[in-house]
Amino acid sequence: MEKYICDVCGWEYNPEVGDPDGGIAPGTAFEDIPNDWVCPVCGVGKDQFAKV
């Protein structure tokens, strides 16, 4: 699974960790995250992330 980084603030989504505070379980691929999920640091949408 690929890691993704927020273009706005630099927060990295690691699928091995997920985003437990945002309701995303460890092991969830970025592509499988709901489209209404937002960056936990700056609040932008998935479209503002780039593959690392």
Side-chain angles (χ1 to χ4, degrees):
M1 286 188 277
E2 304 283 342
K3 293 180 182 179
Y4 283 75
I5 193 162
C6 179
D7 292 332
V8 176
C9 72
W11 184 81
E12 182 177 89
Y13 176 75
N14 181 345
E16 293 179 10
V17 177
D19 177 21
D21 292 338
I24 308 300
T28 303
F30 189 79
E31 296 82 9
D32 296 333
I33 296 173
N35 288 332
D36 61 351
W37 176 84
V38 296
C39 176
V41 174
C42 69
V44 298
K46 282 179 63 176
D47 61 334
Q48 297 293 311
F49 278 73
K51 190 183 299 186
V52 176

